[in-house]
């Protein structure tokens, strides 16, 4: 009995070991490397490292560049998540009832979220171009005076957000739809017997019962939007004051300026943020999953 | 109410599908027609003289040109597509194999600290690629993996493990333990029971997992453009690199290439449509 339990344990580690080892290696090494090099003047090409103490961190916390990227990323996350959630929820409501061809409509709606953001972002440059883009031609034909979506300082950021909304609203819709479908019809029937108004049904039954999965959706989108890189690179490049996010600023600092040490300090600050968010996230998943088991 | 419902749904569907439809039209144009100041949205079979006309002469030239090398690139679109296929497929096979074994271990055995390990696995997915890419780059320079297929295959395999483990754990948990126990009673070893009883039952789950791993490797850009800016350049990095090229953007070829590039993903999306939610949420929501 004892020996079989032991072979069981050996087998278990043999199964999970390789994967965990790879993940540890590819996450711990970069972490250690970043921490060490963040206190040096390391550069991308050659040169010996020299300790600079906390100078890199001082710059990260003092330079307006980093604070600006953080603010812009936060604004992007908040706007993207809330617009996509609202729009996705409305779409899910329109898809709640069965109709002929629902599967086709649903699958078509979902396609944008599966496509490559880098490739589609590049292509949107043609669609939104200020001079020959089809969007501006359509707006002019309707009598509007269309803006320069991709080059005007006041519009660039929102153009990127628009592309993100196009790509990711389907994701929110899909999750909201799952939430809506999980509400038992008996609850709606009970509400009907009680003559609850449609508004009351929506705010007292539909929304609260969807809330747990919508929370999950928000966390998934937020962690993803926080990494926003591909679309910004495709639309404005990494060094645009109006659109620079955390990831694109990191790219600029490390790969264009070659300042690995400064980039590492910045990475460490971002990692603290990401780890905090990941902790909230995993706790939440844990709670939602253990609720599922009880239900 | 019903009318509003249909209006909202159809309006969104039209707006969301329009960019893709425009892409299909652009791929049939000549370059001048893609950037014409009067939008050309009607394909014609013969030459059009009037520059203000919405008609344009449809041609397959852009598709024929996919083998051509553009200014600022080292290879044609087809060459980069080859790199994307090799890197995507091999990393997918590796992720699914490793992920299935690991998920089986977590599903059927008592691993000390299993919950913490599983959340560690999931949290690796939250890291922004740009925050870890420099150490990886240094490591790859030392190992001579920069710009190679193997380098990105290994990296995407690791990157997709969180997805593979979480998805496969969900699928394996759904297979009754009684199946294996019966096999063990029949004299199968643990390994035989896994290979002959569990794996055939997990086929659908593995296929779904493979599709999601493939899509995320196929679309990845951050690592691809920083680690493999030359050598084995994948399609997203290649397209991005065309920006600012001196001959102007080859829009028809970009549209044609992008369509060829997203076509398999669209087919896969349709194939796994029942599991999309599960795949996109790492199995945390099951349909």
């Amino acid at each position: 009995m004892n020996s079989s339990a032991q072979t069981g344990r050996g087998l278990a580690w043999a199964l999970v070991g390789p994967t965990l080892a790879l993940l540890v290696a590819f996450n711990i090494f970069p972490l250690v490397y970043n921490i060490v090099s963040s206190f040096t003047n390391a550069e991308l090409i050659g040169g010996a490292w020299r300790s600079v103490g906390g100078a890199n961190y001082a710059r990260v916390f003092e330079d307006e560049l980093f604070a600006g990227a953080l603010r812009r990323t936060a604004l992007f996350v908040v706007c993207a998540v809330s617009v996509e959630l609202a729009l996705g929820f409305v779409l899910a409501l329109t898809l709640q009832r069965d109709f002929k061809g629902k599967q086709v409509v649903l699958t078509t709606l979902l396609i944008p979220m599966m496509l490559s953001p880098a490739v589609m972002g590049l292509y949107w440059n043609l669609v939104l171009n200020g001079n020959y883009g089809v969007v501006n031609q359509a707006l002019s034909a309707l009598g509007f005076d269309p803006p320069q979506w991709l080059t005007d300082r006041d519009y660039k950021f929102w153009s990127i957000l628009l592309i993100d909304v196009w790509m990711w609203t389907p994701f929110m819709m899909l999750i909201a739809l799952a939430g809506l479908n999980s509400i038992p019809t008996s609850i709606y029937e009970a509400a009907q017997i009680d003559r609850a108004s449609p508004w009351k049904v929506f705010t007292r039954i539909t929304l609260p019962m969807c809330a747990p999965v919508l929370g999950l959706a928000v966390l998934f989108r937020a962690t993803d939007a926080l990494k926003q890189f591909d679309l910004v690179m495709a639309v404005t490049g990494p060094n645009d004051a109006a659109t620079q996010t955390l990831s694109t600023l990191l790219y600029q600092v490390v790969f264009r300026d070659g300042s690995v040490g400064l980039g590492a300090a910045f990475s460490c600050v971002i990692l603290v943020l990401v780890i905090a968010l990941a902790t909230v996230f995993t706790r939440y998943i844990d709670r939602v999953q253990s609720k599922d088991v009880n239900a | 109410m019903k009318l509003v419902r249909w209006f909202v749904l159809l309006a969104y569907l039209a707006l969301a599908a329009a960019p893709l439809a425009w892409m299909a039209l652009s791929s049939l144009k000549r370059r001048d027609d893609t950037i014409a100041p009067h939008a050309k949205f009607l394909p014609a079979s013969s030459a059009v003289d009037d520059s203000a006309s919405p008609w344009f002469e449809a041609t397959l030239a852009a598709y024929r040109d996919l083998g051509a090398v553009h200014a600022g690139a080292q290879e044609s679109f087809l060459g980069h597509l080859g790199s994307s296929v090799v890197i995507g497929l091999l990393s997918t096979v590796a992720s699914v194999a490793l992920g299935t074994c690991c998920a089986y271990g977590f599903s059927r055995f008592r691993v000390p600290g299993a919950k913490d390990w599983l959340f560690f696995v999931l949290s690796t997915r939250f890291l922004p690629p740009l925050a870890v890419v420099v150490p990886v780059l240094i490591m790859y320079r030392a190992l001579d993996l920069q710009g190679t297929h193997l380098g990105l295959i290994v990296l995407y395999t690791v990157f997709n493990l969180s997805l593979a483990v979480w998805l496969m754990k969900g699928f394996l948990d759904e297979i009754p333990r009684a199946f294996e126990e019966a096999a063990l009673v029949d004299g199968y070893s643990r390994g035989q029971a896994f290979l002959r009883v569990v794996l055939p039952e997990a086929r659908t789950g593995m296929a779904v997992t493979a599709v999601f791993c493939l899509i995320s490797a196929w679309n990845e850009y951050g690592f691809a453009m920083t680690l493999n800016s030359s050598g084995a350049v994948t399609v997203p990095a290649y397209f991005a690199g065309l920006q600012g090229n001196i001959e102007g953007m080859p829009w028809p070829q970009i549209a044609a290439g992008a369509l060829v590039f997203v076509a398999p993903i669209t087919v896969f999306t349709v194939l796994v449509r029942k599991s999309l939610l599960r795949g996109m949420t790492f199995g945390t929501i099951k349909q």
Side-chain angles (χ1 to χ4, degrees):
Chain A
M1 194 64 205
N2 196 16
S3 86
S4 100
Q6 246 161 19
T7 50
R9 178 164 290 185
L11 191 55
W13 281 114
L15 285 166
V16 303
T19 294
L20 298 184
L22 269 175
L23 284 172
V24 168
F26 271 81
N27 286 287
I28 301 301
F29 171 69
L31 190 65
V32 173
Y33 183 96
N34 273 343
I35 292 173
V36 173
S37 62
S38 69
F39 293 101
T40 71
N41 64 348
E43 303 225 337
L44 195 59
I45 300 155
W49 295 11
R50 192 169 44 75
S51 169
V52 293
N56 288 328
Y57 286 94
R59 249 194 88 185
V60 168
F61 287 113
E62 279 159 18
D63 200 326
E64 167 54 28
L65 212 55
F66 299 95
L70 185 62
R71 261 200 321 272
R72 230 166 283 119
T73 308
L75 181 66
F76 186 85
V77 170
V78 169
C79 292
V81 169
S82 46
V83 171
E84 286 155 18
L85 179 64
L87 209 53
F89 196 78
V90 169
L91 283 173
L93 286 173
T94 69
L95 286 162
Q96 202 179 359
R97 287 195 202 144
D98 277 331
F99 56 85
K100 217 175 150 192
K102 181 174 162 180
Q103 266 308 320
V104 180
V105 171
L106 190 58
T107 311
T108 312
L109 281 174
L110 291 173
I111 286 172
M113 75 173 176
M114 310 303 281
L115 306 181
S116 158
V119 174
M120 295 315 294
L122 177 72
Y123 177 75
W124 271 89
N125 279 315
L126 174 64
V127 176
L128 289 177
N129 183 287
N131 304 319
Y132 49 77
V134 65
V135 169
N136 275 8
Q137 294 197 28
L139 288 175
S140 303
L142 292 172
F144 294 100
D145 183 22
Q148 294 284 331
W149 299 101
L150 306 170
T151 48
D152 188 323
R153 212 152 37 109
D154 299 329
Y155 284 93
K156 286 186 234 193
F157 179 85
W158 306 106
S159 302
I160 293 171
L161 188 73
L162 173 78
I163 305 172
D164 196 78
V165 167
W166 175 72
M167 295 204 90
W168 290 108
T169 297
F171 174 72
M172 292 297 202
M173 175 193 80
L174 188 61
I175 295 192
L177 199 55
L180 289 175
N181 287 338
S182 70
I183 303 173
T185 44
S186 58
I187 297 187
Y188 283 120
E189 283 158 14
Q192 217 163 30
I193 293 167
D194 290 344
R195 295 189 190 183
S197 68
W199 177 246
K200 224 166 192 169
V201 171
F202 181 74
T203 53
R204 297 281 172 83
I205 298 175
T206 312
L207 264 185
M209 292 204 69
C210 284
V213 275
L214 291 184
L216 210 54
V218 166
L219 284 170
F220 265 109
R221 266 313 290 148
T223 48
D224 216 39
L226 188 71
K227 296 192 278 190
Q228 181 50 260
F229 177 73
D230 301 13
L231 291 179
V232 179
M233 291 295 281
V235 174
T236 63
N239 201 24
D240 191 302
T243 62
Q244 202 164 47
T245 55
L246 294 176
S247 285
T248 51
L249 175 58
L250 253 177
Y251 178 80
Q252 176 69 26
V253 166
V254 172
F255 288 93
R256 295 273 171 92
D257 306 342
S259 315
V260 168
L262 183 60
F266 190 35
S267 296
C268 287
V269 175
I270 296 176
L271 286 182
V272 171
L273 279 175
V274 171
I275 290 169
L277 195 66
T279 311
V280 174
F281 196 169
T282 49
R283 291 246 168 98
Y284 189 85
I285 288 179
D286 202 19
R287 237 183 51 204
V288 171
Q289 281 191 333
S290 46
K291 247 191 212 152
D292 278 353
V293 174
N294 295 336
Chain B
M1 203 53 198
K2 201 174 169 191
L3 215 64
V4 176
R5 201 182 282 253
W6 275 102
F7 176 76
V8 171
L9 184 60
L10 291 179
Y12 186 86
L13 188 65
L15 283 176
L20 292 171
W22 191 248
M23 194 171 185
L25 279 177
S26 300
S27 74
L28 298 173
K29 295 177 184 176
R30 290 179 209 292
R31 186 163 186 280
D32 291 344
D33 289 332
T34 58
I35 55 171
H38 292 277
K40 312 225 168 253
F41 48 88
L42 299 169
S45 55
S46 57
V48 181
D49 288 331
D50 182 8
S51 70
S53 152
W55 295 87
F56 68 91
E57 187 190 357
T59 163
L60 289 174
Y63 290 91
R64 280 195 294 270
D65 259 10
L66 287 178
V69 181
H70 292 286
Q74 300 145 325
E75 255 187 295
S76 71
F77 169 80
L78 293 178
H80 294 288
L81 189 65
S83 288
S84 274
V85 169
V86 169
I87 291 170
L89 286 182
L90 291 180
S91 74
T92 298
V93 170
S95 294
V96 173
L98 280 167
T100 304
C101 289
C102 182
Y104 186 68
F106 279 122
S107 173
R108 296 298 201 263
F109 297 89
R110 211 169 288 161
V111 180
K115 208 177 207 177
D116 294 333
W117 279 117
L118 278 169
F119 281 130
F120 162 71
V121 169
L122 183 63
S123 64
T124 60
R125 190 74 173 202
F126 300 150
L127 291 182
L130 264 293
V132 291
V133 76
V134 172
V136 174
L137 182 68
I138 304 291
M139 192 159 70
Y140 274 23
R141 270 187 192 162
L143 298 170
D144 227 3
L145 284 173
Q146 199 188 347
T148 63
H149 290 91
L150 183 63
L152 276 191
I153 291 169
V154 171
L155 196 66
Y156 288 170
T157 302
V158 175
F159 177 71
N160 274 332
L161 277 176
S162 54
L163 181 67
V165 170
W166 273 71
L167 274 180
M168 282 315 299
K169 175 149 188 316
F171 284 115
L172 290 170
D173 283 344
E174 284 167 9
I175 301 171
R177 279 159 185 264
F179 287 11
E180 292 146 270
E181 279 154 15
L184 290 177
V185 169
D186 287 346
Y188 279 50
S189 71
R190 264 265 169 220
Q192 282 172 325
F194 176 60
L195 288 176
R196 303 223 188 121
V197 179
V198 178
L199 281 192
E201 287 292 318
R203 263 192 325 229
T204 316
M206 288 171 80
V208 169
T209 306
V211 166
F212 281 95
C213 288
L214 181 65
I215 290 176
S216 93
W218 190 253
N219 290 344
E220 207 283 333
Y221 173 63
F223 285 125
M225 65 102 58
T226 43
L227 293 176
N228 282 23
S229 51
S230 61
V233 181
T234 58
V235 172
Y238 159 70
F239 271 146
L242 287 177
Q243 247 169 337
N245 100 47
I246 38 166
E247 291 169 9
M249 295 292 269
W251 287 116
Q253 286 85 348
I254 288 176
L259 273 186
V260 171
F261 184 68
V262 302
I265 299 305
T266 310
V267 172
F268 280 131
T269 305
V270 174
L271 286 179
V272 299
R273 62 185 180 279
K274 295 252 156 60
S275 308
L276 273 177
L277 182 60
R278 198 170 177 158
M280 298 301 288
T281 59
F282 292 64
T284 50
I285 301 177
K286 289 170 189 142
Q287 265 152 318

